[in-house]
Amino acid sequence: MNTNAPTHRHSNRLINETSPYLLQHAHNPVDWYPWSAEALERARRENKPILVSIGYSACHWCHVMEHESFEDEGVARVMNDLFVCIKVDREERPDLDKIYQTAHQILAQRPGGWPLNMFLTPDDQMPFFGGTYFPKTAKHGLPAFTDLLRHVAEVYAKKPDAIREQNHSLRDIFGRLQPASPAPGVHLGPEVLDQAHAELQRQFDARYGGFGKAPKFPHPTSLELCLHRWARSTYNGAEDKEALHMARHTLAAMAHGGIYDQVGGGFCRYSVDERWEIPHFEKMLYDNAQLLTLYADAWLATGESLFQRIVIETAEWVIREMQSPEGGYYSALDADSEGHEGKFYVWTADEIRSLLTHEEWDVVERRFGLQGTPNFEGQWHLNVRVDEASIAEQMLCPESDVVARLESARRKLFTAREQRVRPGRDEKILTSWNGLMIQAMAHAGRVLARPDFIASAERAMDFIHAQLWCNQRLLATHKDSKSHLNAYLDDHVFLVAAALELLQAGFRRSDLDFSIALADSVLEHFEDENHGGFYFTGDDHEKLIYRPKPVSDDAIPSGNGVAALMLGRLGHLIGNLNYLHAAERTLEALYSGMLQQPSAHGALLLALEEQLSPPQTVVLCGTPEAMRSWQTAAGGHYHPHRVLLAIPADTENLPGILAERTARNSVTAYVCAGRTCSAPVSELAEFETALK
């Protein structure tokens, strides 16, 4: 018997959940329910309004509100008396989060965030009031949480007609949020790409990189658009150096800043300042996936060793800290450890000095500017202040010596840091975020010729295929040997993107078949056949108050944008006209929204690029050994609109037009642009010419 096991005065219904976020609240005195038929039925039966509280495990202010209010007996008593209380993990239920964040923005006339606390009518789950963080005692212009709870319950009891009228208006607004049918004769043109770039130029921070002011987020699709614009301009003989500068300057600034973990690799969520110096310290899988892809592309485009190093360190962090023994990737690392944000990551100068030799300290002190007043709550969070070449010049020694001392020091700091109390890790495995990271690891492995990165991606894909693909339907989340919840649009299309990237890294028939099955499922269950585009939830999903069709990017790319891009690529690859038509209809349906604020629709713009100029699809057939030099010839430069598969000659029963791609020599190459193909090529020199 374990006498050291913690004892809890309370346990609620969250105790049976797998979500780490819900389990964090399982011993609150609040009578929490997960979102369930049981909770909704109780609210209807007792005519009690619902308090739905949405957050996630790595959210700092979610922890603050829990400790202040949800762990407090008095606050919990008021919550339990007046409401049916439901806790939601926004990462497991992005459908609910999208709906109620949208409702909050409409009702409060300002953006939401987490924790999100919304009050719903019991008969139809319509929100009638809400907010984000509420303090236990009144401060910062916010009421005490218990006072707010009593006021909301009183309004619900005494003003039912006003609430009904507001709900009617909200339903009407939800209806108008859906993109209208495309105007007759809608013309997809490149003008919107130019408008987006002009917007990004205006938002660009020329001094520190990035877009906009603090808090500063990476905006991966915006940076990808800049790299694409530069690449397109070089093909056309008029290099857009500013587009490359915007991407390169931002990526270098983030790599040198505190948003990047200078000791252990990997990126934090965002920077609280405009200089990328002090982050919000949580590390999310989806940020690192998108940035891993970007840095690999930036290295391919520029050859800068900084970008290559960031790819290697970040990918190694992913394998070391974020990949489960079974293969899937975990979701997040918390911002906090031992109750303090960032405690795991920060240092005193004396602590660093004590771990290093005099020669190492001399370099590290200059590199990270460890003089004067520390930059984070009396301690140092490491930011690169001086480059290696300048340090070498100051110290009158070879740059290679500086690099060697820095690497030696980094290893010592890493070893010492490993002894600290680690931040919490959210070990649920989300299908959508795994799709993003599988794509990123496969891409990084292919670009940097790192088989270990590709093997990591393959293990994750095999895990998803085995554990979350059941009876030809996809599930959204897995933890503790349990997979559940219907998958969303993002889960499907991010996995299609991952499968296509894996196929380029090393052909496996299972990845090709899986990508087609997923694409077919998207068309069958998510497509709006009347107006074009795709809903976030499937046609057999739980009926909610609103069925969104997401078009703009948030922290992750828009599912509609990725759907249009991947259906286009897969359609060209196997010759499936249904995929190509669905991709085109999506862009036509959502084009008017793109025109209103182009730069907010990065993923859709990336798809539009390939609708206007179809991708180059290259299929090699031959023996793996013979095809290797051909793959090197095609993959040695940055070419964002090229898809290359090297298919072993003995592969049988390939789908669609791939069945016609056969080896007529040791290697035969089929090079197509959209639906136009060159004659098959069997000589490497001819192949290199055809690629151009």
Side-chain angles (χ1 to χ4, degrees), residues 4 15 78 90 103 133 146 220 223 244 269 298 303 345 379 404 430 447 453 512-513 594 601 628 635 659 682-683:
N4 296 320
I15 198 72
V78 177
R90 69 111 176 174
Y133 164 77
T146 48
L223 295 170
L244 179 61
R269 178 76 197 90
Y345 298 99
Q379 294 183 284
L430 295 168
V447 168
F453 298 170
L512 178 61
D513 293 342
M594 292 158 64
H601 297 82
R628 208 153 285 136
S682 296
E683 297 295 331

Side-chain angles (χ1 to χ4, degrees), residues 473-504:
R473 294 305 301 276
L474 194 62
L475 298 174
T477 182
H478 176 96
K479 188 171 181 293
D480 299 338
S481 303
K482 179 185 177 185
S483 300
H484 66 123
L485 299 176
N486 292 342
Y488 310 98
L489 176 65
D490 292 359
D491 299 290
H492 290 76
V493 298
F494 293 175
L495 268 190
V496 174
L500 284 179
E501 192 59 60
L502 266 180
L503 285 166
Q504 295 185 78

